[in-house]
Each structure stands twice: as C-alpha cells, then as structure tokens.
Amino acid sequence: MDRVHALAANYISDVEGELIHGHQIERSESKATFDALTNRRKEIVAVIGAAGLGKSCVLAQTLRLLSNAQVPLVVARLDVQTRARTSQQFGEDLNLPESPCLILAGIAQGSPCVLVLDQLDALSTVSGRNAHLWTAVGELLREAAAYPNMRVLVACRAFDAEHDQRLRRLLED
C-alpha cells in the first residue's frame, strides 16, 4: 500500500513541480474524467490533446479527485518505463511485487479502482520512444479488462492517437 500511495504522490508532485509559479488552473476536464471513470461503464477513459496542452495536469487533478473519493489507483508514466516486456516486469519496474493490475485488484477487493497510464504516446511507432512496451501494456489492458470494477485512464498526444494504427484502434471509442 505504501508503494502504491507513493506512486500517486510522486506523480502528482512531479506534475505540480512543473507548474508556472506553482499555480494550478482548475480544469473542467478533470471533473469530466472523474465522472467518466466513476459513473460510466467505459473500460478505458482517454485524455487526448496536443503536446503541452496539459494532459498530465488533468490526470493529476483527476487523481486528487479519485483519492478524495477513496478510489484505489496505480499510476505509471510510460515514457520512463524502459525494460518491461510483461505486466509483471512492468510492476517490478514500479517496485511492486506483481503486475499493477493484480496489485490494484487485490487492494480494491471488488470496489471501483483505476489503473492510470500517462504518456501512452511513448508507445507510438510514429514518434514514441518505448514501442517495445506494447507487449506489456497489452497484457496490462487484458488484465484490467478481466476485472469489471477496474477502469483504465490514459493520456495520449493527439498526433500519435491519430497517426499510430495501434493507438488509433485502442482509442477509437
């Protein structure tokens, strides 16, 4: 639990550390994202926008809303994962003993929970840097789909969402 909480806290701290003068702009997209994750049956909720538009800020604000609602979550940035070829290795790269989905399912015990994957565009064959992570991320998404209470929140650059075939298929809904 400590490591899972640390992942979220570190993510939020990293994002907020890059704010201009530390000022946060409340974004309506964060509340809409929170609502989509908690009130709808969509398995995957995506925040898509141009580079530098604030997708990670929307995710950080959404994480705060989820945390305040006591929704368990695991967060990871795909642009810094370098080694993983399986969901278990992905978890190990996050200093978790197992796949993030299995850890999250165990923590949630059937209650709503969210797997957060920022920088999905890092997997893009068009402009990404970690296309080799497709195998691990695909495994993560299949694992998440096996838990009806688990939602997946992703953030992706619009350019990659439109031009990478695999991302386009994943995000088309």
Side-chain angles (χ1 to χ4, degrees), residues 24-73:
Q24 194 168 127
I25 300 169
E26 291 300 320
R27 299 173 186 264
S28 60
E29 295 89 347
S30 301
K31 177 71 169 106
T33 301
F34 173 81
D35 290 342
L37 289 165
T38 57
N39 299 329
R40 298 195 181 106
R41 298 293 305 157
K42 289 277 187 189
E43 290 179 4
I44 299 176
V45 175
V47 175
I48 300 173
L53 196 60
K55 297 173 296 297
S56 295
C57 290
V58 169
L59 260 60
Q61 289 178 12
T62 303
L63 295 185
R64 285 200 184 279
L65 293 170
L66 290 166
S67 293
N68 290 343
Q70 298 183 343
V71 175
L73 57 93

Side-chain angles (χ1 to χ4, degrees), residues 84-91 98-102 115 117 123 132-147 150 152 170:
R85 301 280 184 197
T86 66
S87 61
Q88 181 171 344
Q89 288 174 341
F90 191 92
E98 186 54 75
S99 162
C101 291
L102 298 179
L115 174 67
L117 302 174
L123 278 60
H132 67 278
L133 278 176
W134 266 110
T135 304
V137 170
E139 191 174 344
L140 282 170
L141 295 175
R142 286 188 298 279
E143 288 174 0
Y147 297 99
M150 190 176 295
V152 179
L170 175 66

